């Protein structure tokens, strides 16, 4: 079992590493001091298990776990935290277990046994989970985290979605429908293959061929609006 340890406290990482050293069939492949480093380590090493602190600088453990849920293969997550107040949120993020520091050897062993029976591919239940603040693009064994406020629009292209953002374009392996369900308050559909950030739409105008186009604040060219989306989009613009 390949394990990544993510905790901003070096002593906490050292303690977990020591406990795992005594556990048969377990290898620590990487350590991380925050959520972003943890995601990079998981993209590089494809671990079976991530021992994840919750209160970390930048991207915290709960948000990191929601990104990890989209990884393939998806690693199991066990939270290790000094506080028990996050237990409900942890299990909403589909953690396998929740260990309170200082982690005891027998509790860690029990968690690892749970992970050994972990069934990959469980349907993610994110209805009540906090919304992510970043999208995650995987790049040849590495990844790029894209702040949602930097995203101009999302366009479906075969099995990928192209994220057009302030620093360029990236591909993510998520469906446009799931992104609309999760971020419907931030994006509006203008076409069956396109979601646009609400704050990016400047105006709607009619093209010479009769089609309606959306003019974007940072777009190089207008985007086509499908006929079925025009009425709802005009209504949305009234309230922006």
């Amino acid at each position: 079992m390949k394990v990544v340890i993510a905790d901003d406290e070096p002593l906490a990482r050292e303690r977990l590493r020591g406990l795992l050293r005594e556990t048969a069939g377990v290898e620590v492949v990487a350590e991380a001091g925050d959520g972003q480093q943890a995601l990079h380590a998981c993209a590089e090493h494809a671990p079976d298990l991530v021992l994840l602190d919750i209160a970390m600088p930048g991207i915290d453990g709960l948000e990191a776990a929601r990104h990890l849920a989209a990884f393939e293969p998806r690693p199991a997550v066990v939270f290790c935290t000094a506080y028990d107040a996050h237990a409900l949120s942890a299990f909403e993020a589909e953690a396998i277990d929740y260990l309170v520091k200082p982690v005891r050897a027998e509790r860690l062993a029990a968690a690892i046994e749970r992970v050994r029976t972990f069934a990959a591919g469980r349907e993610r239940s994110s209805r009540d989970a906090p919304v992510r603040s970043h999208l995650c693009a995987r790049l040849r064994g590495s990844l790029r985290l894209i702040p949602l406020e930097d995203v101009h629009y999302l366009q479906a292209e075969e099995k990928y979605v192209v994220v057009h953002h302030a620093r360029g374009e990236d591909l993510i392996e998520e469906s446009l429908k799931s992104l609309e369900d999760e971020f419907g308050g931030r994006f509006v559909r203008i076409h069956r293959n396109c979601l646009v950030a609400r704050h990016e739409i400047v105006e709607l105008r009619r093209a010479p061929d009769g089609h309606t186009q959306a003019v974007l604040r940072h777009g190089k060219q207008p985007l086509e609006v499908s006929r079925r989306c025009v009425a709802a989009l005009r209504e949305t613009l009234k309230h922006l």
Side-chain angles (χ1 to χ4, degrees):
M1 180 187 295
K2 296 189 295 183
V3 179
V4 167
I5 299 173
D7 196 305
D8 61 335
E9 299 176 0
L11 289 178
R13 297 199 302 270
E14 183 179 345
R15 176 176 174 79
L16 287 172
R17 190 169 60 247
L19 293 174
L20 292 171
R21 199 176 296 124
E22 306 301 320
T23 306
V26 172
E27 176 191 7
V28 177
V29 294
E31 296 184 20
D34 57 43
Q36 183 164 343
Q37 290 177 14
L39 292 172
H40 280 284
C42 290
E44 181 178 355
H45 297 284
D48 304 294
L49 166 64
V50 185
L51 295 174
L52 194 58
D53 187 21
I54 290 181
M56 294 188 291
I59 294 177
D60 66 14
L62 291 172
E63 182 170 347
R66 291 192 290 274
H67 286 300
L68 290 172
F71 276 39
E72 186 59 45
R74 175 184 176 180
V77 170
V78 170
F79 285 112
C80 302
T81 177
Y83 310 98
D84 58 9
H86 298 292
L88 179 58
S89 296
F91 288 109
E92 285 176 346
E94 299 193 43
I96 296 297
D97 209 338
Y98 184 93
L99 308 180
V100 177
K101 298 175 183 176
V103 175
R104 292 180 287 118
E106 59 269 25
R107 280 292 287 121
L108 181 59
I112 288 175
E113 284 307 308
R114 288 188 180 188
V115 172
R116 293 191 194 281
T117 61
F118 174 64
R122 291 178 304 166
E123 183 178 350
R124 193 178 76 180
S125 175
S126 60
R127 184 178 0 173
D128 299 320
V131 174
R132 290 177 288 166
S133 61
H134 295 68
L135 295 178
C136 183
R138 302 187 70 175
L139 308 167
R140 294 183 296 279
S142 184
L143 54 82
R144 176 177 293 136
L145 293 171
I146 308 163
L148 278 171
E149 58 263 29
D150 289 351
V151 177
H152 300 156
Y153 63 99
L154 304 163
Q155 201 158 33
E157 189 172 291
E158 296 182 353
K159 65 176 183 176
Y160 298 101
V161 167
V162 183
V163 182
H164 298 261
H165 56 89
R167 295 181 304 283
E169 300 175 6
D170 284 291
L171 297 178
I172 59 174
E173 297 179 13
E174 300 188 53
S175 73
L176 203 65
K177 179 63 169 63
S178 68
L179 292 166
E180 182 179 29
D181 289 344
E182 185 173 359
F183 304 114
R186 181 179 290 270
F187 296 98
V188 60
R189 185 176 287 272
I190 68 166
H191 198 279
R192 62 180 176 80
N193 70 349
C194 189
L195 298 174
V196 177
R198 293 171 183 267
H199 62 81
E200 279 294 313
I201 302 176
V202 175
E203 65 172 326
L204 298 182
R205 71 183 184 195
R206 189 171 297 278
D209 62 4
H211 288 99
T212 300
Q213 296 179 327
V215 179
L216 305 190
R217 195 176 309 279
H218 295 100
K220 294 180 180 178
Q221 57 189 21
L223 299 176
E224 182 180 342
V225 180
S226 68
R227 286 188 173 88
R228 68 171 56 185
C229 293
V230 170
L233 187 57
R234 289 191 189 281
E235 188 63 29
T236 296
L237 291 179
K238 291 179 183 178
H239 304 285
L240 291 181

